[in-house]
Amino acid sequence: MPTQARALRVHSEDDVATLLSPALAAGTAVRAGETVVVTREAIPSGHKIALRAVPVGALLRKFGLPFGQATVDIAPGDWVHTHNVRTALDKNETYEWTGNVRSPEFPRAKTPVTDTTFAGYLRADGQVGIRNELWVLCTVGCINRVAEEIARRGHARLARANGGTVDGVYAHTHPYGCAQIGSDLAQTRRALAALATHPNCGGVLLFGLGCENNVLREQVDALRLADPSRLRWFNAQETEDEYEAALDALTELAARCATDVRLPVPASKLVLGMKCGGSDGFSGLTANPLVGILADRHAARGGVSVLTEVPEMFGAERLLMARADEETTFRAVGAMINDFKDYFRRYGEPIAENPSPGNKAGGITTLEEKSLGCVQKGGTAAPVRFVLGYGEPLRRAEGETEGGIALAYGPGNDAVSCTTLACAGAQIVLFTTGRGTPFGTCVPTLKISTNSDLARRKPHWIDFDAGPIAETGADPERLADELLALTLRVASGEETKAERNGCREIALFKDGVTE
């Protein structure tokens, strides 16, 4: 038999394996563990090959769980993708709490957890910032360009790189607030309030126009500031020179930040945002499980990691629910899943429209498959302890030391979901990607490639390469050590590639009527 190509079978019950080799022609022998099959057609790298016969109508398994239904008879060696598999998602689920459910174990080594620290900024409310920035937040989109110019001038005057006292001055703009009403306006206001109290923000200028529905005084009242000296606010319509007024306000805030210094704090003070975007067939095999190892370790130290992208939990939600710390949490997760399905139905959209064209080109076939890979960012052992509404910050009781996972209500869209993680209090986002993206949100966004080809082609986007897990069989625990070390360096001030490239964006979740 000729030299065999390699494929990865995640679980012994899987019907498919993922090609680790470059694209293969028909007639190529492929080994997945002890199983060898021969390709019956050309198969792209990162895509799935059938390891056994699957009759039409039967469910196919990957990660040991169903990810779709065969639309034709599938033979060993067939390419398994959208042409012969469809989603099985079509309804809301009923979930029953038994009190003793357990998550299936994914094979991986266990590494003892050791205490670690990073250098951060202690805040009055007990949170810890990993940046000491000034943020300009707009109540309304009409003043976005003015806010950006204010931040540009403020950065030139006040940033440390220019001899100032803060890490930077940045405007985080959005198109809403003008004619929003009802719950949709409340949603925007809640998200902006969460950002204004973010620990990476040493001081905030709330900048309004003066005639918008998102009344500035009401936005200020929505804040929960432990230190009001770090807030300035005014409406542009009520000020003769908005640039001068804004720069005066930023200068006062920068002076307030002058006494802030980095101090060693436990790594458990980090809230890690876990995100995947531009996913491919390797996402659930390399980068996402790698980030999941960090989530488990972080929880063991008493830290919390946040997952969002609720539609990308569809079909895999039971893996998370099996780790709910109590019945109330279990039921809150189920309600969140079904509510998001109802959101799709309100607009007449199919709940399984995801994955995107890029995901499919990268080897992901159905939403269930994408979800089974996506939820691995939450690890396999950390308990699910918090369920947050959209724009709701994580609030832990004083002295609470138990770690775990928080789930935050939000869509899968990269910009919106990363902003959701920041609203929840994540000081840093660990963003896994197989297709690649330059995107960065308002907090440091550390990009982790699922395959080494992407890391080699886009070194100016990618901070860390998880590809060796599949390419060379690198030990995930060793790579987790390296990723943790990088994460702590970023938390202590090292810039991510997105920061160096000036990629700092927010996007708010809109769901409602505009007048």
Side-chain angles (χ1 to χ4, degrees):
M1 181 175 289
T3 302
Q4 297 167 351
R6 292 192 308 125
L8 179 62
R9 184 184 208 167
V10 182
H11 193 282
S12 60
E13 296 183 6
D14 287 354
D15 301 300
V16 298
T18 301
L19 289 185
L20 304 179
S21 308
L24 300 178
T28 306
V30 178
R31 175 176 289 278
E34 299 302 314
T35 302
V36 178
V37 293
V38 176
T39 57
R40 287 161 45 90
E41 56 193 312
I43 304 179
S45 177
H47 285 240
K48 295 174 292 298
I49 184 171
L51 301 178
R52 58 168 68 112
V54 180
V56 60
L59 295 175
L60 292 100
R61 290 179 175 265
K62 183 180 177 182
F63 302 104
L65 296 166
F67 73 91
Q69 187 175 36
T71 57
V72 298
D73 289 334
I74 295 174
D78 279 350
W79 176 24
V80 176
H81 200 35
T82 53
H83 59 285
N84 53 14
V85 179
R86 71 170 184 86
T87 179
L89 289 173
D90 60 2
K91 65 182 186 304
N92 286 15
E93 300 288 339
T94 300
Y95 307 103
E96 183 177 352
W97 169 257
T98 65
N100 60 358
V101 288
R102 294 290 182 269
S103 174
E105 284 293 326
F106 288 90
R108 66 174 183 80
K110 308 295 182 184
T111 296
V113 174
T114 56
D115 291 332
T116 53
T117 62
F118 69 98
Y121 297 99
L122 293 173
R123 303 302 186 194
D125 59 1
Q127 297 188 91
V128 177
I130 69 171
R131 297 291 182 270
N132 204 28
E133 299 172 345
L134 300 183
W135 289 359
V136 182
L137 297 177
C138 302
T139 58
V140 65
C142 311
I143 51 175
N144 285 350
R145 302 291 83 79
V146 176
E148 289 168 357
E149 176 61 18
I150 287 169
R152 187 190 67 78
R153 296 184 190 183
H155 188 84
R157 178 186 299 183
L158 303 169
R160 251 181 258 281
N162 303 314
T165 60
V166 294
D167 292 335
V169 183
Y170 304 103
H172 299 305
T173 60
H174 62 90
Y176 306 128
C178 176
Q180 282 186 292
I181 58 176
S183 60
D184 197 41
L185 173 59
Q187 186 163 281
T188 291
R189 188 171 289 158
R190 186 167 61 249
L192 291 175
L195 292 175
T197 56
H198 194 280
N200 287 4
C201 178
V204 61
L205 169 61
L206 274 176
F207 184 41
L209 179 58
C211 55
E212 60 270 23
N213 282 11
N214 189 19
V215 178
L216 180 58
R217 174 75 258 184
E218 295 177 8
Q219 180 67 73
V220 171
D221 290 344
L223 305 186
R224 295 174 60 180
L225 280 174
D227 184 357
S229 71
R230 294 180 182 269
L231 169 68
R232 298 292 185 276
W233 53 282
F234 70 91
N235 280 319
Q237 290 174 345
E238 301 164 4
T239 306
E240 182 175 349
D241 187 336
E242 62 272 16
Y243 292 99
E244 181 180 351
L247 289 170
D248 286 347
L250 290 172
T251 300
E252 292 174 4
L253 291 170
R256 177 66 184 83
C257 293
T259 57
D260 297 338
V261 295
R262 288 187 181 271
L263 297 171
V265 292
S268 59
K269 287 290 188 178
L270 279 176
V271 178
L272 302 178
M274 307 305 205
K275 171 75 180 93
C276 52
S279 299
D280 67 355
F282 294 107
S283 295
L285 307 178
T286 60
N288 287 359
L290 178 64
V291 168
I293 293 174
L294 260 63
D296 283 341
R297 292 187 187 180
H298 194 50
R301 292 189 186 94
V304 175
S305 302
V306 187
L307 302 180
T308 183
E309 308 172 276
V310 176
E312 294 170 27
M313 300 176 192
F314 294 172
E317 68 270 22
R318 293 180 191 274
L319 292 175
L320 297 170
M321 298 174 77
R323 288 153 51 196
D325 63 339
E326 59 184 17
E327 184 175 0
T328 302
T329 307
F330 178 92
R331 297 199 179 283
V333 178
M336 180 179 69
I337 295 294
N338 283 334
D339 181 78
F340 220 104
K341 289 181 179 179
D342 290 339
Y343 162 65
F344 279 90
R345 294 191 182 98
R346 284 199 301 274
Y347 292 97
E349 299 295 339
I351 64 173
E353 182 64 23
N354 205 332
S356 70
N359 296 152
K360 293 175 182 176
I364 296 175
T365 301
T366 63
L367 180 52
E368 299 98 300
E369 181 185 3
K370 188 175 183 180
S371 295
L372 288 167
C374 181
V375 300
Q376 290 187 58
K377 299 192 302 294
T380 63
V384 175
R385 299 189 54 236
F386 308 93
V387 180
L388 307 174
Y390 174 72
E392 179 185 355
L394 174 68
R395 303 291 183 190
R396 303 183 73 183
E398 186 175 353
E400 184 176 356
T401 59
E402 185 178 354
I405 301 296
L407 306 182
Y409 191 95
N413 173 280
D414 289 353
V416 177
S417 58
C418 284
T419 307
T420 301
L421 294 172
C423 288
Q427 305 105 314
I428 184 171
V429 172
L430 304 186
F431 189 120
T432 69
T433 181
R435 307 284 289 176
T437 174
F439 173 80
T441 191
C442 56
V443 302
T445 308
L446 199 156
K447 228 66 62 60
I448 305 162
S449 63
T450 71
N451 62 86
S452 296
D453 177 65
L454 173 61
R456 287 187 288 265
R457 289 187 296 105
K458 293 291 188 180
H460 53 295
W461 288 359
I462 301 302
D463 298 277
F464 191 88
D465 180 21
I469 294 174
E471 190 171 275
T472 64
D475 178 13
E477 295 289 336
R478 179 183 59 79
L479 287 181
D481 290 338
E482 296 175 7
L483 179 57
L484 174 60
L486 174 59
T487 300
L488 294 175
R489 293 200 305 273
V490 169
S492 298
E494 183 176 313
E495 283 191 320
T496 64
K497 299 290 180 65
E499 288 179 290
R500 293 175 199 169
N501 295 336
C503 297
R504 305 167 186 269
E505 302 173 42
I506 68 167
L508 305 183
F509 186 27
K510 175 166 172 46
D511 177 27
V513 174
T514 297
E515 292 181 316

